[in-house]
Amino acid sequence: MKTKLLLPILVSLLLLTTSNQAVSAIIKFNGNEVGAIDLNGISSSFEEFYDYRNASANTGLEIVNSVVMFIGELNDEYAIFTIANKWNSGGASGHLGVNITASSGSVSFADDSNELSNSGNLTFYWGGEFTDGYIYSGFDDEFTFTQILNSFKGIEGLYFVNFLDGTLGSQSYSDLISIRNNEFTVSRTAQAVNAPSTIGFFLLFSTVLLATRIRAKR
């Protein structure tokens, strides 16, 4: 009789423990889930990946006469890169205005220090053979970041780079010019998901073992 009572008790406990929730984070760009590039093992800092030399960025993701935006992840920290033009590619001279609002973080790097502004506004000017841009980082675990791009000159394309599996080579460029919008928002929010616990696996094993013994006795 005790054995018959024990089996439903174990099953009930199993259902409770396997409904434990884990927390994962979702990153979105303009409301769509996207992937960041995983810089762990590639660079020791966001600035190192920007690879500022020859007065230009050298990430390998730049496009001539265009602005590219992408998200980087390093040691569970996130950064947003915005880069205009491509070095030594025959591009045109240009300029770009940026207005930033964010729930946390700050501009951690800019091509030219005199382009930084405490008001959240930046203005970039570049020669045809060079890039310009910046990195925004230092976010809290959950954040919202919005930038409005304006005062375009010498810019023919505008792209967001999504990394499908977080690696270089998995990138996919979304053409943003076609959406006729110059305001872009990146957000990271926590989301609870059901996940089995270690206790749940143990109870599952115990339940199966007990059921086997009951059948054997019969």
Side-chain angles (χ1 to χ4, degrees):
M1 184 66 180
K2 291 182 180 179
T3 302
K4 291 182 179 180
L5 288 173
L6 183 59
L7 182 57
I9 291 173
L10 280 173
V11 171
S12 299
L13 287 172
L14 174 63
L15 291 174
L16 286 173
T17 55
T18 55
S19 64
N20 285 349
Q21 290 188 322
V23 176
S24 65
I26 292 181
I27 302 174
K28 292 184 178 181
F29 177 80
N30 280 8
N32 297 311
E33 189 173 349
V34 294
I37 179 173
D38 182 0
L39 298 179
N40 294 282
I42 297 177
S43 299
S44 61
S45 67
F46 295 124
E47 291 85 353
E48 182 180 311
F49 183 72
Y50 194 99
D51 194 11
Y52 183 70
R53 51 191 167 87
N54 301 312
S56 297
N58 292 271
T59 68
L61 300 169
E62 298 82 20
I63 298 178
V64 63
N65 292 337
S66 299
V67 174
V68 296
M69 293 174 280
F70 59 92
I71 306 165
E73 183 273 321
L74 179 65
N75 298 325
D76 294 323
E77 299 288 335
Y78 289 85
I80 298 169
F81 294 71
T82 302
I83 304 171
N85 206 23
K86 184 176 183 179
W87 179 70
N88 198 27
S89 58
S93 298
H95 65 75
L96 173 69
V98 180
N99 180 264
I100 303 166
T101 56
S103 59
S104 58
S106 62
V107 176
S108 57
F109 176 83
D111 267 9
D112 301 299
S113 59
N114 61 358
E115 292 168 331
L116 292 173
S117 170
N118 292 329
S119 65
N121 298 314
L122 301 92
T123 304
F124 297 104
Y125 296 88
W126 61 90
E129 293 300 307
F130 305 98
T131 77
D132 223 334
Y134 74 102
I135 304 171
Y136 197 99
S137 61
F139 293 109
D140 294 337
D141 287 342
E142 293 187 297
F143 65 83
T144 300
F145 166 91
T146 299
Q147 67 173 350
I148 299 174
L149 306 183
N150 52 61
S151 303
F152 292 92
K153 181 182 177 182
I155 296 173
E156 299 173 357
L158 184 58
Y159 299 91
F160 178 79
V161 190
N162 181 25
F163 295 86
L164 303 180
D165 64 8
T167 63
L168 280 172
S170 72
Q171 64 264 30
S172 173
Y173 288 78
S174 298
D175 183 359
L176 303 177
I177 291 291
S178 61
I179 65 176
R180 303 296 178 188
N181 184 19
N182 64 342
E183 180 174 330
F184 307 100
T185 298
V186 175
S187 63
R188 184 175 189 264
T189 55
Q191 177 171 300
V193 294
N194 289 330
S197 65
T198 302
I199 297 175
F201 282 121
F202 173 76
L203 286 174
L204 176 61
F205 173 77
S206 300
T207 303
V208 172
L209 181 61
L210 180 58
T212 303
R213 288 182 175 179
I214 291 172
R215 290 194 186 96
K217 288 182 179 181
R218 289 178 180 176

